[in-house]
Amino acid sequence: MSYLIDGHNLIGQLLGFALDDPDDGAKLVQRLNGWVARTRRECVVVFDAGLPGGTSRMSTKMVRVVFANHNSSADKVIIDRIYKEKHPKNWTVVSSDNGVLDIAKRQGMQILKSPEFARLLERPVPIRP
């Protein structure tokens, strides 16, 4: 299962994170890198208005970081990706926006509200023997 995440929605739900922190996006990417290393899940995290828009150099093999361009939004980028995805059942969309989640669900994707994913992200992963 891969995750498509609205970054700023998630930042607003995480303990110790603040949307007014200029490094909030980098801190979230770092947290997601640790999570994907433990869970072996891939994710795409989308942020509003970065310059330039598109895939960021913060991306890693397992965490792709995307910024909406100046005349778009994370919600629009996520919705576009939802409609273009050829294998929607392999994805979970993480957002606080009910409109985005409704579209994802109609396209056959799993959905999680940002507070739910924040709890999942903060929960320790059990060590496997």
Side-chain angles (χ1 to χ4, degrees), residues 70-129:
H70 67 281
N71 61 353
S72 189
S73 69
D75 289 346
K76 181 166 179 3
V77 171
I78 291 169
I79 290 168
D80 289 347
R81 285 177 169 264
I82 290 169
Y83 283 125
K84 290 178 184 174
E85 180 53 49
K86 292 182 168 96
H87 306 287
K89 291 187 187 320
N90 296 337
W91 286 86
T92 297
V93 174
V94 177
S95 178
S96 294
D97 186 289
N98 289 328
V100 170
L101 295 174
D102 289 344
I103 291 168
K105 194 171 187 177
R106 282 196 309 266
Q107 293 301 112
M109 294 178 166
Q110 298 295 311
I111 59 170
L112 276 176
K113 291 207 171 237
S114 297
E116 295 171 295
F117 187 77
R119 286 190 295 275
L120 181 71
L121 190 61
E122 292 174 342
R123 186 174 59 208
V125 176
I127 299 173
R128 296 181 184 160

Side-chain angles (χ1 to χ4, degrees), residues 21-34:
D21 178 350
D23 296 323
D24 62 354
K27 289 176 183 176
L28 176 60
V29 172
Q30 183 178 19
R31 173 77 64 88
L32 289 170
N33 277 315

Side-chain angles (χ1 to χ4, degrees), residues 17-91:
F17 282 70
L19 288 167
D20 60 354
D21 178 350
D23 296 323
D24 62 354
K27 289 176 183 176
L28 176 60
V29 172
Q30 183 178 19
R31 173 77 64 88
L32 289 170
N33 277 315
W35 183 76
V36 300
R38 292 188 311 273
T39 62
R40 293 176 169 57
R41 304 286 186 192
E42 294 181 50
C43 63
V44 176
V45 59
V46 183
F47 294 102
D48 290 309
L51 294 173
T55 302
S56 168
R57 291 165 57 182
M58 285 193 291
S59 296
T60 64
K61 182 178 178 184
M62 300 293 282
V63 179
R64 178 174 293 150
V65 180
V66 177
F67 285 92
N69 64 36
H70 67 281
N71 61 353
S72 189
S73 69
D75 289 346
K76 181 166 179 3
V77 171
I78 291 169
I79 290 168
D80 289 347
R81 285 177 169 264
I82 290 169
Y83 283 125
K84 290 178 184 174
E85 180 53 49
K86 292 182 168 96
H87 306 287
K89 291 187 187 320
N90 296 337
W91 286 86

